[in-house]
Amino acid sequence: MNLLAIDTSADACSVALLCGDQLSGHCRVEPRGHTRLIMPMIRQLLAEQRIAVDELTVLAFAAGPGAFTGLRIATGTIQGLAWGLDIPVVPVSTLAAVALDA
């Protein structure tokens, strides 16, 4: 499984890639820069891990709660990728993710 996940719901913009049992990712704190950052961050992460975009098997995104514009950026980015690649999407509750870590 090659899972790409993104989060743009807060000041930080992050991408993560899970390939088998190997997890890698990037995070940048740049409020109001997510639209400009998210796709280059995805491309950079895939290139570093030598994974072609068509090798992704599932996509995930932080579905909130969070900043309205940030949630729209993540939703639109993932929806566009999923539609183009014809792969499933998993919305992840930000609160559930924080609770799981606790």
Side-chain angles (χ1 to χ4, degrees), residues 27-97:
C27 181
R28 288 192 50 189
V29 177
E30 193 169 327
R32 295 178 300 279
H34 299 3
T35 301
R36 176 177 48 81
L37 293 172
I38 195 66
M39 288 306 295
M41 288 175 71
I42 291 170
R43 283 193 296 271
Q44 178 185 3
L45 183 58
L46 292 174
E48 288 172 359
Q49 299 304 312
R50 294 179 173 82
I51 300 290
V53 71
D54 62 355
E55 294 179 84
L56 295 172
T57 54
V58 65
L59 302 170
F61 71 101
F68 179 71
T69 301
L71 295 174
R72 288 187 340 185
I73 292 166
T75 303
T77 300
I78 288 297
Q79 183 179 30
L81 288 169
W83 189 78
L85 297 168
D86 194 28
I87 59 176
V89 171
V90 178
V92 177
S93 162
T94 307
L95 292 177

